[in-house]
Amino acid sequence: MSMVPRRDGSAAETERDDEARLLAAVARREIRAFEALYRAYHPRLTRFLMIMTRRAHLVEEVLDDTMMVVWDRPDGFRGASKLSTWIFAIAYRKALKAMKRQDQPVEDKVAEARPSPEPGPEQLLASRQLQGVLFDAMAELSTDHRAVVDLAYYQDMGYRQIAEIMDCPVDTVKTRMFHARRRLKASLDGGGADWL
């Protein structure tokens, strides 16, 4: 018998209800609810935006712009999808606009922005080396391909949710993932390609 807890529909429903209550409180202009929502999404959005833009100096700006939309227009969320889908879609569009405004070259490394667990020195070093290899390989992908990979693997979102965020058909997401995985496998050349 497995000791791993199962995540059933009730846990997802509870999370969805909690987020709905927070958003309703934001609509009533309750600053504490907004702060709680901001804290909940800050780490996930930071990682997604860092992977997507590859520009550390844009991440906080885009994240703040995204959350300001949530604060200013909470009624924009209609409940047809998860709240996270709506917020990530806003972040995706804001990031694309910010990248278009930028004339500066893309930074080569943003190692300090990558989160990593620190269980022990050997594991930390191996983890950082693998993250560095993966991050470098992902840097070679297009913006859309990086976004699809990050949303699927790091944000644990399905293709339908990604399609909503990126405002494209599910088949387009599947095609982007296929090409992104193929490029990553070629770039990794066996060194870490087994996670794909």
Side-chain angles (χ1 to χ4, degrees), residues 18-85:
D18 290 345
E19 287 189 338
R21 278 191 288 277
L22 272 178
L23 193 61
V26 168
R28 293 187 305 267
R29 310 313 268 171
E30 293 180 19
I31 193 72
R32 288 182 192 256
F34 178 72
E35 289 170 349
L37 200 59
Y38 190 98
R39 279 192 305 274
Y41 278 90
H42 187 276
R44 292 175 65 193
L45 287 173
T46 297
R47 174 162 177 45
F48 171 67
L49 293 169
M50 184 62 72
I51 291 293
M52 189 178 161
T53 66
R54 297 182 302 159
R55 293 172 173 98
H57 63 279
L58 282 181
V59 172
E60 278 303 314
E61 174 188 336
V62 173
L63 194 147
D64 288 345
D65 288 350
T66 299
M67 294 309 290
M68 284 310 299
V69 170
V70 173
W71 175 253
D72 290 336
R73 296 191 306 252
D75 57 330
F77 178 65
R78 306 273 186 236
S81 63
K82 289 183 175 179
L83 180 62
S84 61
T85 302

Side-chain angles (χ1 to χ4, degrees), residues 88-141:
F88 272 86
I90 295 167
Y92 176 75
R93 289 189 298 275
K94 292 284 185 187
L96 289 177
K97 287 179 186 174
M99 289 170 58
K100 285 181 183 175
R101 289 192 310 260
Q102 293 294 307
D103 295 333
Q104 299 172 2
V106 174
E107 297 174 14
D108 291 332
K109 304 279 183 193
V110 285
E112 59 276 353
R114 277 186 256 128
S116 66
E118 298 191 33
E122 296 85 15
Q123 291 173 331
L124 179 60
L125 179 61
S127 175
R128 283 191 177 161
Q129 287 173 339
L130 179 59
Q131 285 180 355
V133 169
L134 291 174
F135 196 79
D136 290 344
M138 284 184 68
E140 296 175 18
L141 299 176

Side-chain angles (χ1 to χ4, degrees), residues 4 15 145:
V4 177
E15 180 181 339
H145 288 163

